[in-house]
Amino acid sequence: MRQPSSPGVPYREPYRPQVHYTPARNWMNDPNGLVWHDGEYHLFYQYNPEGDEWGNMSWGHAVSPDLLHWEELGTAIPATEDEQVFSGSIVVDEQDTAGFGKAAAVAVYTAWYPKTGLQAQALAYSTDRGRTWARYAGNPVLDIGSKEFRDPKVFWYDEGGYWIMVVALAEDRKVALYGSGDLKSWTPLSEFGPAGATGGVWEMPDLFELPVDGGGSKWVMVVSLNPGGPAGGSGVQYFVGDFDGVTFVPDDTSTTWADHGRDFYAAVSWNGAPGGRRYWIGWMGNWDDAASIRTHPWRGAMSLPRELSLAADGGRLRLAQRPIAALGGLRTGQAVRLGERKVSGPSILPGQAHDGAFEIVAEFEPGTAERFGLQVGGAIMIGYDVPAGELFVERGPREAAAGRHGGAAPVEAGRVRFTAYLDTSSVELFGDGGRTAVTDLVFPEPAGRGLGLFTEGGTALLCSLVVQPLGSVWEALR
Ligand code: FRU
């Protein structure tokens, strides 16, 4: 039976997400140490055990059978007076290359030494399914004397039979690649960057292989960037290319965003997910305004876990993201289904209050409208902008960064189709077969949560709409 780590937290507080992970209490940012190990998905994360502001950075920890229902286990690797535990990853050392035990879980994290400001890569390990962690006595294992060297993502490179680390040289806008046989001694392999978007520091790299339709595979280099993101502040970009065990070579270096919203950052993927699948999750936050998010007694939420694939787009390959299929298992209650009708201006769907989580699937014909879609309480819009050719989320004037955040998506066979996941304080919008995503935090007024339709500048045809309530993943804790 799952146990809340903070008794008395009802997971029903105002704006508490119902299908997204949040810690019961306190501050959370990046996902860390994502790994499938001994039949469980692990989610570690940047966590302040002492309060709801960034500080005392430690690794919080939760486990799940399905990436949706999480049991919070408390602090895994705590900050000490001399060392804060910044972002990193976990590998399962099947062959005991490091000598911590067969199939030990080994965390490779950035040690930040507040007294000097230096950042170096360090190890901790667990031989009890991630429940308790010991720091390696020989730490740090990779120290180049830098204050901007962080967020190691390590994985086993099967073709070569060695470990690979991608790690950010943040100020240089580079990713450094290292190789190792034992996780303890690391040899430089190559560097990638600067490339694409360079308007902020580079953080949280990831590198993984994905199959390509019709055979073969390509590699994807992921880089988070702050500031300089697509909607201001933090953002995640990626490059598709080839990797030979030493060097990553991108197919092209134009800037490509994984998500066009304000609040999808530090996304990284799970190591070792069953069936060779590639799932990732991001922090639904933006360094521009993360400190002022009005939630209590926690601050910080994860995105929905999304399954990744590569999809052709003209002559290019693009990342396609689909919220994991298991979300379908949360469908509950009566869905509202609307058939064909004209939409002109704003309208309210009777009886549809936004008081939990919903999956929304909509299909429209643009008609004469310039913009159309769904609205929440009149202030939050989820829709399509015809002149811009973009799916967008628009946040109300009360939000920290009000405005419209959009990503390109084509009208196909005269229609626009999108899927949105609306939780108590977030929207994740997907279109163009998952090639376009827009993630924004939203904080609708308690009195303004009616769901409705809208058009601006003309009339659109709604072809079909399904608004499906999703049950809370915290139900079992109540
Ligand atoms: C990214 C980041 C990382 C760092 C961590 C500190 O959001 O800045 O580069 O390791 O957060 O909490």
Side-chain angles (χ1 to χ4, degrees):
M1 187 55 204
R2 295 180 301 119
Q3 309 247 319
S5 72
S6 298
V9 171
Y11 290 89
R12 269 197 185 118
E13 304 91 333
Y15 302 122
R16 174 73 83 174
Q18 296 299 306
V19 301
H20 291 81
Y21 183 74
T22 51
R25 298 178 191 280
N26 297 332
W27 170 274
M28 174 177 79
N29 55 288
D30 313 350
N32 296 154
L34 305 181
V35 68
W36 163 264
H37 180 38
D38 251 348
E40 293 175 313
Y41 288 101
H42 290 260
L43 166 64
F44 296 79
Y45 43 86
Q46 289 289 281
Y47 186 59
N48 179 359
E50 311 290 336
D52 64 2
E53 289 171 357
W54 186 90
N56 310 299
M57 293 322 290
S58 303
W59 278 24
H61 187 197
V63 289
S64 170
D66 60 2
L67 294 172
L68 291 173
H69 297 85
W70 294 98
E71 177 188 358
E72 185 174 346
L73 295 174
T75 304
I77 314 176
T80 66
E81 212 188 302
D82 297 324
E83 182 198 275
Q84 297 200 21
V85 190
F86 276 15
S87 287
S89 52
I90 289 179
V91 293
V92 178
D93 189 6
E94 298 291 352
Q95 301 167 39
D96 195 18
T97 63
F100 299 134
K102 202 170 155 43
V106 182
V108 189
Y109 64 91
T110 297
W112 177 60
Y113 308 106
K115 287 175 188 154
T116 59
L118 291 169
Q119 301 182 344
Q121 315 322 319
L123 307 181
Y125 58 93
S126 167
T127 52
D128 61 357
R129 303 170 67 227
R131 282 0 185 225
T132 59
W133 291 85
R135 283 174 161 89
Y136 170 49
N139 279 344
V141 293
L142 180 57
D143 183 358
I144 58 168
S146 170
K147 294 185 174 175
E148 296 288 344
F149 182 46
R150 58 182 178 270
D151 310 338
K153 174 72 191 265
V154 176
F155 61 94
W156 178 253
Y157 182 61
D158 215 26
E159 290 88 327
Y162 54 91
W163 301 103
I164 287 174
M165 178 197 293
V166 288
V167 56
L169 299 164
E171 286 285 0
D172 295 345
R173 281 78 165 150
K174 285 183 181 175
V175 177
L177 288 82
Y178 289 85
S180 174
D182 64 0
L183 296 169
K184 291 173 176 166
S185 77
W186 291 92
T187 309
L189 297 175
S190 63
E191 286 180 355
F192 170 70
T198 55
V201 292
W202 279 23
E203 303 182 316
M204 297 293 289
D206 198 355
L207 177 64
F208 49 81
E209 192 176 12
L210 285 177
V212 175
D213 273 356
S217 67
K218 292 293 263 188
W219 287 76
V220 182
M221 176 73 83
V222 177
V223 179
S224 284
L225 157 103
N226 179 64
S234 315
V236 179
Q237 63 176 331
Y238 67 91
F239 304 86
V240 177
D242 295 304
F243 178 62
D244 62 1
V246 176
T247 310
F248 173 77
V249 180
D251 290 349
D252 82 82
T253 52
S254 54
T255 302
T256 311
W257 300 110
D259 193 295
H260 295 266
R262 282 272 300 175
D263 298 294
F264 186 75
Y265 195 58
V268 276
S269 67
W270 264 272
N271 277 333
R277 290 171 183 269
R278 186 60 59 173
Y279 303 114
W280 77 351
I281 200 167
W283 168 45
M284 282 201 291
N286 187 313
W287 283 115
D288 267 7
D289 45 46
S292 58
I293 293 304
R294 299 171 271 126
T295 55
H296 183 77
W298 81 100
R299 192 178 274 136
M302 291 300 170
S303 73
L304 288 174
R306 305 171 182 180
E307 183 166 359
L308 300 178
S309 61
L310 286 173
D313 183 18
R316 302 179 65 200
L317 285 169
R318 298 257 311 273
L319 212 47
Q321 305 179 64
R322 283 188 190 80
I324 57 165
L327 260 173
L330 299 179
R331 291 180 191 131
T332 185
Q334 205 57 46
V336 170
R337 290 170 196 278
L338 298 187
E340 220 174 78
R341 71 199 54 208
K342 252 192 180 163
V343 187
S344 184
S347 61
I348 291 289
L349 300 175
Q352 283 306 293
H354 167 220
D355 56 359
F358 296 89
E359 176 184 57
I360 296 164
V361 182
E363 198 168 305
F364 286 87
E365 274 176 21
T368 58
E370 285 182 13
R371 278 169 287 277
F372 56 83
L374 273 100
Q375 48 144 329
V376 184
I380 298 161
M381 312 285 172
I382 304 166
Y384 192 73
D385 183 314
V386 181
E390 285 187 349
L391 284 169
F392 69 89
V393 176
E394 182 170 327
R395 315 203 277 196
R398 218 179 141 221
E399 313 297 334
R404 184 174 292 168
H405 311 134
V411 178
E412 275 177 305
R415 293 186 171 189
V416 171
R417 191 185 155 84
F418 60 83
T419 304
Y421 292 85
L422 182 61
D423 204 335
T424 52
S425 47
S426 61
V427 181
E428 287 156 283
L429 171 62
F430 299 92
D432 194 18
R435 281 172 290 217
T436 299
V438 186
T439 300
D440 269 3
L441 294 177
V442 293
F443 297 93
E445 299 280 1
R449 294 188 179 175
L451 290 179
L453 299 167
F454 79 93
T455 65
E456 286 171 14
T459 303
L461 182 72
L462 174 71
C463 309
S464 65
L465 174 73
V466 181
V467 179
Q468 169 67 61
L470 298 174
S472 174
V473 297
W474 306 113
E475 205 50 60
L477 296 179
R478 293 186 178 129

